[in-house]
Amino acid sequence: QPELAGIIAFLTKYTHGNGHPADADKTDFAHFARSLRLPWQHNALGNLRELADEVGEYWADACLSEAEKGHGHSVLRRLFDVALGTGVDKGHPKLVRAGRILNYRLADKVVEDAEERQQKDAKLEASIGVAKVGHASDLADGIEKDIFAAVEEGVPQADHRLARATAICKALRQKDGERKRLEG
C-alpha cells in the first residue's frame, strides 16, 4: 500500500468540521480543545489535498494503463483499491473504464476456470471409467462460488460468460446425477 492510501481519512480526521476553529463555541472549553483541528483553508491541509489529487490521478492512470496492457483481474483489483484508497472517486472516468476492463477480465477468468473444471472431470472419467459420485458436484460448487463472487465484484449477472459458466455448472451437476443413477 502506498503511504497516501489513507489520505482522505487523514484529512477528514484533522480538519475542523464546522467552519473555522476561531469561530467555534468555546463555552465548554474542554470539549473545544478536544475537537480542535486545523481549518480547511490551512496551507498544510491544502498542500496535502493537492498532493492527494496528484497521487490519486497517478493511481487512476496506472490502473487504466495496466488494464489496457492486459493484466489479470488480481493485479487490476489491487491497483483499483489503491486508487480508491488515495481518494479517487469511484465515478472517476479512468476508474470507470478500468472497472469495466476489470469486470471483463474477471468474467473471462470465471468461465476459463469453469471450463478447466469440466475438463478435469472429463479427464478423470476417461482415466478411471466412471468418476466417483460427488466429484462433479464439488467442481460445480466451486464454479457457483466464482460466479457469485464475480457478481458481487460488479460483473453483470446477465454477462454471457457467466451464463456459459452457469451452463457448465449445470452440466457437471447433471453428470453427477447420471453417475448416481448408474451407481444406484
Side-chain angles (χ1 to χ4, degrees), residues 7-146:
I7 192 66
I8 298 304
F10 177 88
L11 284 167
T12 302
K13 182 177 179 180
Y14 293 104
T15 301
H16 195 79
N18 302 328
H20 198 283
D23 300 330
D25 179 15
K26 298 175 198 72
T27 53
D28 180 358
F29 193 77
H31 172 57
F32 169 75
R34 282 191 309 274
S35 65
L36 182 64
R37 305 289 183 266
L38 293 172
W40 172 262
Q41 304 85 351
H42 194 281
N43 282 343
L45 292 177
N47 292 339
L48 202 49
R49 278 191 297 276
E50 286 177 24
L51 181 60
D53 288 344
E54 288 175 33
V55 169
E57 193 65 30
Y58 168 83
W59 284 107
D61 285 338
C63 189
L64 181 58
S65 172
E66 296 305 303
E68 289 172 340
K69 288 178 186 174
H71 284 280
H73 174 264
S74 60
V75 170
L76 298 179
R77 175 85 268 166
R78 283 192 305 271
L79 289 171
F80 197 84
D81 290 343
V82 168
L84 291 176
T86 59
V88 175
D89 183 56
K90 265 189 173 179
H92 189 290
K94 291 175 184 172
L95 286 189
V96 169
R97 189 164 167 212
R100 278 193 220 114
I101 295 170
L102 182 75
N103 288 340
Y104 187 88
R105 297 270 164 63
L106 181 55
D108 279 347
K109 181 166 178 24
V110 168
V111 78
E112 286 169 14
D113 289 351
E115 289 168 348
E116 283 178 24
R117 287 180 172 124
Q118 189 176 39
Q119 290 169 3
K120 180 180 179 181
D121 185 66
K123 285 179 185 175
L124 179 65
E125 188 172 48
S127 70
I128 63 170
V130 177
K132 185 178 109 183
V133 173
H135 181 261
S137 289
D138 291 342
L139 295 172
D141 289 345
I143 294 169
E144 274 185 346
K145 283 181 186 175
D146 290 349

